């Protein structure tokens, strides 16, 4: 504040009394250089892609009072300037997000902390179908059958369809389809592999089998001949 300084002379037998001029002393307050500190700090968060969002409350204290909260990552997140509530504004893809959460006091000092969010890949599911059914099938030699690999859960990513470990289709989107003719007798295993994406892990399908039997109209085959001498 301001303080005025004066002096008074009472005088004497030979001199009259006298007041001095006023002088002033202005005392500045002690400068506030202490930044706000965070209390009740929200724990770092980890979750599976597309299962939840962010709603974390941050509280800071300061002797001069908190004027506002702000963050550095405004493309995907928003924080309430008044109460420090942090929320995501868009779906968060798999990855690690480190957010600088800051608080200003009324003296212009800033305190901050780093809040980490880890979004993990979600599990995917690719399923094999034989003639539209997710069951084993039996056909006769010479017949053709539809083989299909469909992505049940996942997003962009190649799907590979195999017949007895031999690649028969590489599709860039679901489903991967192939009309396959079977001539040899026996069991053929049908499988598929989804390579995964930024947000979904890779996945191998359950293996199905096509059992190929001989046709009733197929003549016997000579498989071995022993020469006689």
């Amino acid at each position: 504040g301001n303080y005025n300084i004066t002096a008074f002379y009472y005088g004497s037998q030979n001199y009259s009394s006298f007041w001095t001029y006023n002088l002033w002393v202005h005392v500045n307050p002690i400068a506030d250089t202490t930044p706000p500190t965070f209390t009740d700090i929200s724990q770092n968060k980890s979750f599976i892609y597309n299962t939840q969002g962010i709603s974390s409350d941050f509280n800071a204290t300061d002797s001069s009072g908190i004027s506002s909260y702000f963050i550095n990552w405004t493309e995907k997140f928003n924080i309430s300037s008044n109460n420090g509530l942090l929320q995501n504004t868009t779906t968060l893809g798999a990855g690690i997000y480190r957010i600088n959460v800051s608080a200003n006091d009324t003296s212009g000092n800033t305190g901050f902390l780093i809040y980490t969010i880890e979004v993990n890949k979600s599990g995917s599911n690719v399923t094999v179908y034989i003639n539209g059914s997710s069951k084993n099938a039996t056909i006769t030699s010479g017949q053709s059958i539809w083989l299909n690999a469909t992505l049940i859960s996942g997003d962009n990513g190649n799907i590979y369809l195999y017949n007895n470990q031999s690649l028969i289709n590489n599709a860039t989107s679901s489903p991967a389809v192939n009309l396959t003719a079977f001539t040899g007798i026996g069991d053929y295993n049908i499988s598929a592999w989804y390579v995964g994406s930024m947000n979904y892990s890779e996945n191998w399908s359950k293996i199905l089998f096509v059992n190929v039997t001989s046709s009733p109209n197929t003549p016997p085959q000579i498989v071995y001949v022993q020469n006689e001498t």
Side-chain angles (χ1 to χ4, degrees):
N2 293 316
Y3 298 83
N4 65 74
I5 310 300
T6 59
F8 176 71
Y9 172 59
Y10 281 92
S12 65
Q13 180 181 3
N14 298 316
Y15 292 91
S16 60
S17 62
F18 179 77
W19 277 100
T20 65
Y21 292 107
N22 284 346
L23 296 179
W24 295 87
V25 175
H26 177 74
V27 179
N28 292 316
I30 297 175
D32 175 15
T33 58
T34 303
T37 57
F38 283 88
T39 59
D40 301 324
I41 299 174
S42 296
Q43 295 296 314
N44 293 331
K45 201 161 188 178
S46 177
F47 57 90
I48 302 290
Y49 168 73
N50 211 25
T51 59
Q52 58 181 289
I54 297 297
S55 184
S56 300
D57 192 24
F58 293 87
N59 295 295
T61 60
D62 189 86
S63 59
S64 67
I66 301 299
S67 64
S68 63
Y69 295 89
F70 63 96
I71 57 175
N72 65 326
W73 203 325
T74 56
E75 296 85 0
K76 293 180 178 290
F77 303 93
N78 176 70
I79 192 168
S80 171
S81 176
N82 297 325
N83 59 28
L85 179 63
L86 176 70
Q87 296 177 303
N88 58 299
T89 56
T90 184
T91 300
L92 299 178
I96 296 178
Y97 304 84
R98 292 185 175 89
I99 306 168
N100 186 318
V101 181
S102 302
N104 272 348
D105 65 16
T106 55
S107 299
N109 301 305
T110 301
F112 73 94
L113 56 78
I114 302 298
Y115 182 60
T116 301
I117 300 167
E118 182 177 9
V119 181
N120 299 300
K121 288 186 177 184
S122 180
S124 61
N125 180 6
V126 61
T127 300
V128 166
Y129 296 91
I130 299 175
N131 263 3
S133 173
S134 57
K135 296 180 181 179
N136 299 331
T138 299
I139 62 173
T140 57
S141 175
Q143 286 186 322
S144 296
I145 197 169
W146 284 103
L147 305 178
N148 174 321
T150 297
L151 190 61
I152 305 301
S153 60
D155 53 20
N156 296 331
N158 284 33
I159 300 172
Y160 295 85
L161 180 61
Y162 295 91
N163 175 13
N164 265 5
Q165 291 83 50
S166 295
L167 182 66
I168 57 176
N169 196 345
N170 174 9
T172 57
S173 62
S174 178
V177 179
N178 188 271
L179 180 61
T180 305
F182 291 88
T183 56
I185 308 301
D187 289 324
Y188 295 80
N189 65 75
I190 311 302
S191 60
W193 177 50
Y194 169 59
V195 300
S197 67
M198 184 184 77
N199 297 316
Y200 287 89
S201 58
E202 64 175 296
N203 176 248
W204 276 98
S205 71
K206 174 185 174 182
I207 295 176
L208 296 183
F209 289 90
V210 175
N211 174 248
V212 182
T213 61
S214 60
S215 171
N217 299 322
T218 302
Q221 296 180 359
I222 299 175
V223 295
Y224 177 75
V225 175
Q226 181 176 347
N227 295 324
E228 294 287 345
T229 59

